Amino acid sequence: MSASLYKQMMKSNLKSIMSFGIASAVYVILMTSLFPMISDNIDKIQELTAIYPDSLKNAFGLESFGTYGEFISAEYYGLFFLFILGIFSVMTAIQLIAKLVDRGSMAYLLSTKVSRAEVAITQIAVLITGLVIIIFLNFAGGFAAGELLIDDQYAIGMGDFFEINFVGFLLFFAVGGYSILISSLFNDEKMAFAAAGGVTFLFYALDMAGKIVPDLDWLRNLTLFSLFEPAKIANGDVNVAFVSVTLFGLGLLAYVATVFVFRKRNLPL
Amino acid sequence: MITIKNLTRQFSNGKGIFDVSFDVKKGEVFGFLGPNGSGKSTTIRHLMGYMKPQKGSATVFEYDAWSEQAKAREHVGYLPGEIAFLDGMKGTEFLDMIAGMQGKQDKEKREELIRRLQFDPKTPIRKMSKGMKQKVGIVATFMHDPDIYILDEPTSGLDPLMQRVFVELVLEEKDKGKTFLMSSHSFSEIERTCDRAAIIKDGRIVTVKDIHELQSMQRKLFDITFFNPEDVEAVKSSTLSIEKTDGNMVRIEVQGNYDAFFKELANYPIKNVSAANQSLEQIFMDYYNAEEVNG
């Protein structure tokens, strides 16, 4: 890993990291501050959602809004969070390798004694740092809103909230992993973006299809996204340790493969 | 310092480089000449470890350019042919980053280079002209005092004044015993600095020659205007190669045979002499055509 490269890459990407982080934190704060109102009117809302088919409620986590964990999962972590972090992971992973190769700037990064492996590890570190910052802002936003904006009677399970964020981070640790692996495989920035974006969307769609259509439940075995079930984490129905180790392992594997691929391939620089 | 042996890489479109071999000795400035698309940059990419040779090998400072690429690059200052910087950086930020990666934090040489090339490095790179970007690239290449310089078309985008500054830089480094491999399609740039040059065409080395030999192979055209019309006829029957005549003016083609040229013309009163400018493309064409005729 090269400290100079890391510093400059963080500087170049900080604006985008902060935009994603702050936008999502503001959303979390907003939703959290609405929770007491929802909680007070839970009966009416349940009546409203009762008209949805069960499968749809299941897919979007609308079965129950009773606790903060369930509420924030349905309103944020089940959907918006996935989009924001998905876009960030794919976009940043492509920018960190494929874009530099496509535009030829990689020639400069590989003109010094810093080896290819070190360059790849540095770029991976920038991606992971970005994810950590965004998730941290999410957690900090929810935590601060929970402490400051809401009366104690609407207790927020901070332990559960932390777990949701932690597993959410590991999900995108893995998504970032295969995205940067794809990024290291392509010479063309647009094709790399299409491939990484396509795979991510497919994974998301498989998870959704499996949730909505009970017969297609097996599809969920083919996707990473089924490992992140925020509402179930909030209810304590998930083996967080198992899910975490699986996601971390898959991500790590992808990062190791990225370094290996980037070391061995011909670059059109 | 640089050894290339039977280096071969064929691309899917059939182009590539084939059996390229040459070596560059310590303290030598070696020119690498060829038209666009002839394989200059492909060869250089192998030297920088961006591509794995399909056949043959490239060695830089006793390290294999592919398997020990990082070690080899430690000794190299590289100026890419197409300057593509990172987005949204200032010149100084870019130079700081590269200096950090080179592991040299001494700013003295860098400041001197910036002063000599006369530009403001604090300018955001995306607002820089092509020439200014080239200057940033040159500073990045020279600032860590490498043993070997690999320069891909170094003066493209520089005005004549800055081209001269660049030539001075190269000659100073050469005096310190540094080694250069410089690709170009400008013969005059190579002429002023190089000891030897290789000419590459369609991915194959056509020749590796002393620069003076190459100069003598250059075909030059002289327009000679005579005082007397009858002298035109006399010159026509001499051994000199006449390209065309126009009244009292004769265009004579000279290729190395300067002595015969002057001896013949000394016989006549001359009104005017002018040398037609010859482009590098023309020199290539002459060289290639000569090769085809001879070979």
Side-chain angles (χ1 to χ4, degrees):
Chain A
M1 175 152 164
S2 160
S4 304
L5 180 60
Y6 179 78
K7 201 175 123 198
Q8 187 55 51
M9 282 291 150
M10 281 309 297
K11 215 170 160 182
S12 304
N13 285 289
L14 198 62
K15 222 190 232 169
S16 125
I17 293 171
M18 291 315 281
S19 318
F20 278 96
I22 290 171
S24 55
V26 165
Y27 195 87
V28 174
I29 292 168
L30 202 70
M31 283 298 138
T32 305
S33 63
L34 288 179
F35 175 61
M37 197 183 80
I38 304 280
S39 186
D40 289 345
N41 298 295
I42 191 71
D43 295 342
K44 284 174 194 155
I45 292 171
Q46 299 283 25
E47 275 170 38
L48 210 65
T49 55
I51 59 170
Y52 289 121
D54 282 349
S55 58
L56 215 61
K57 276 191 275 185
N58 184 22
F60 293 101
L62 298 175
E63 307 115 330
S64 154
F65 277 179
T67 69
Y68 174 73
E70 287 169 339
F71 167 74
I72 201 75
S73 300
E75 288 302 323
Y76 176 62
Y77 286 91
L79 198 66
F80 194 57
F81 173 81
L82 298 178
F83 286 150
I84 289 195
L85 271 290
I87 292 168
F88 174 80
S89 305
V90 170
M91 203 181 79
T92 309
I94 300 308
Q95 274 175 3
L96 286 169
I97 297 185
K99 182 181 168 192
L100 299 180
V101 170
D102 193 2
R103 306 215 174 157
S105 323
M106 189 56 87
Y108 267 113
L109 306 191
L110 292 177
S111 69
T112 70
K113 62 178 178 178
V114 178
S115 70
R116 286 196 191 191
E118 286 174 290
V119 168
I121 290 169
T122 308
Q123 303 300 73
I124 289 169
V126 171
L127 176 65
I128 295 173
T129 311
L131 287 172
V132 169
I133 292 174
I134 294 177
I135 302 281
F136 173 78
L137 288 173
N138 265 285
F139 178 72
F143 183 80
E147 290 292 310
L148 302 174
L149 299 176
I150 302 180
D151 295 337
D152 287 345
Q153 48 165 326
Y154 308 104
I156 288 178
M158 274 307 145
D160 293 342
F161 187 60
F162 177 80
E163 280 182 356
I164 292 174
N165 281 290
F166 182 70
V167 179
F169 163 72
L170 287 174
L171 172 67
F172 287 98
F173 177 82
V175 171
Y178 70 71
S179 297
I180 206 160
L181 174 61
I182 290 172
S183 179
S184 73
L185 280 165
F186 281 82
N187 292 337
D188 185 299
E189 179 190 349
K190 289 201 177 84
M191 275 170 58
F193 189 78
V199 169
T200 306
F201 186 77
L202 183 73
F203 278 166
Y204 176 74
L206 287 173
D207 186 46
M208 269 297 154
K211 278 181 184 168
I212 292 172
V213 185
D215 286 347
L216 295 178
D217 193 43
W218 58 273
L219 284 177
R220 299 190 68 216
N221 296 329
L222 305 175
T223 167
L224 291 174
F225 283 84
S226 60
L227 293 171
F228 178 59
E229 295 177 294
K232 287 189 181 165
I233 293 173
N235 292 336
D237 293 342
V238 170
N239 183 346
V240 171
F242 168 76
V243 168
S244 301
V245 169
T246 309
L247 287 170
F248 181 77
L250 287 171
L252 195 64
L253 204 67
Y255 291 119
V256 170
T258 302
V259 175
F260 188 78
V261 165
F262 191 67
R263 266 186 59 189
K264 292 289 171 196
R265 71 180 284 247
N266 288 311
L267 295 169
L269 297 174
Chain B
M1 297 295 266
I2 298 175
T3 310
I4 296 180
K5 263 196 211 135
N6 305 111
L7 193 64
T8 300
R9 159 140 229 116
Q10 189 170 19
F11 296 109
S12 50
N13 62 3
K15 285 189 147 197
I17 51 172
F18 307 95
D19 254 334
V20 169
S21 299
F22 61 82
D23 63 319
V24 185
K25 296 178 195 71
K26 184 171 164 37
E28 188 176 36
V29 180
F30 191 88
F32 197 30
L33 278 164
N36 295 327
S38 54
K40 298 189 296 278
S41 294
T42 304
T43 308
I44 286 176
R45 284 165 190 160
H46 281 89
L47 287 173
M48 293 303 293
Y50 300 154
M51 285 177 177
K52 186 181 182 180
Q54 280 171 341
K55 228 182 75 197
S57 66
T59 314
V60 175
F61 202 87
E62 81 199 40
Y63 297 111
D64 184 273
W66 172 256
S67 58
E68 301 170 293
Q69 48 175 281
K71 279 185 191 163
R73 285 200 296 260
E74 188 170 358
H75 299 276
V76 171
Y78 174 52
L79 183 66
E82 280 162 35
I83 306 263
F85 293 107
L86 303 161
D87 290 344
M89 289 171 93
K90 288 179 180 168
T92 33
E93 289 174 324
F94 174 75
L95 291 173
D96 284 341
M97 178 185 86
I98 295 292
M101 292 174 79
Q102 288 164 341
K104 292 265 163 83
Q105 298 298 351
D106 175 19
K107 287 194 175 175
E108 198 181 314
K109 190 164 184 204
R110 169 169 149 187
E111 294 307 324
E112 192 211 318
L113 287 162
I114 291 172
R115 190 177 50 73
R116 288 178 69 177
L117 290 165
Q118 297 172 17
F119 70 101
D120 177 13
K122 293 191 189 74
T123 315
I125 286 172
R126 67 190 162 78
K127 288 192 178 161
M128 289 184 177
S129 66
K130 187 170 188 306
M132 202 159 161
K133 285 183 191 166
Q134 190 72 12
K135 289 176 183 178
V136 176
I138 290 172
V139 173
T141 309
F142 281 72
M143 68 182 176
H144 68 302
D145 208 24
D147 299 303
I148 300 171
Y149 289 91
I150 296 178
L151 314 174
D152 200 351
E153 311 207 345
T155 60
S156 70
L158 296 184
D159 61 40
L161 190 70
M162 282 302 140
Q163 288 188 15
R164 213 170 60 205
V165 173
F166 173 78
V167 167
E168 280 169 22
L169 276 175
V170 171
L171 293 177
E172 281 166 28
E173 293 296 305
K174 185 188 174 186
D175 285 343
K176 290 187 210 159
K178 304 296 180 64
T179 309
F180 283 80
L181 174 70
M182 206 191 304
S183 90
S184 181
H185 51 229
S186 150
F187 190 76
S188 61
E189 173 180 307
I190 294 282
E191 217 175 10
R192 276 178 286 172
T193 49
C194 291
D195 306 303
R196 284 194 305 149
I199 290 185
I200 187 168
K201 189 200 179 197
D202 297 336
R204 294 175 199 277
I205 297 287
V206 182
T207 186
V208 179
K209 279 207 163 68
D210 191 73
I211 200 76
H212 302 297
E213 263 183 273
L214 278 174
Q215 281 169 336
S216 70
M217 294 178 70
Q218 222 181 317
R219 190 183 68 132
K220 284 186 182 156
L221 298 173
F222 293 93
D223 290 343
I224 315 288
T225 314
F226 295 94
F227 275 106
N228 308 316
E230 57 269 28
D231 292 344
V232 173
E233 292 309 311
V235 171
K236 268 181 162 175
S237 57
S238 74
T239 55
L240 294 178
S241 147
I242 311 294
E243 208 183 75
K244 68 168 189 180
T245 58
D246 178 14
N248 279 9
M249 196 274 282
V250 180
R251 177 166 287 178
I252 301 174
E253 182 194 301
V254 184
Q255 192 170 8
N257 54 336
Y258 292 100
D259 194 48
F261 173 67
F262 278 105
K263 280 189 175 137
E264 178 66 28
L265 290 183
N267 299 327
Y268 318 105
I270 309 279
K271 196 175 178 180
N272 189 24
V273 177
S274 67
N277 274 335
Q278 205 185 9
S279 70
L280 182 76
E281 286 307 310
Q282 196 56 50
I283 298 168
F284 282 131
M285 293 330 289
D286 294 341
Y287 190 82
Y288 298 142
N289 293 341
E291 282 294 295
E292 275 157 28
V293 170
N294 297 339

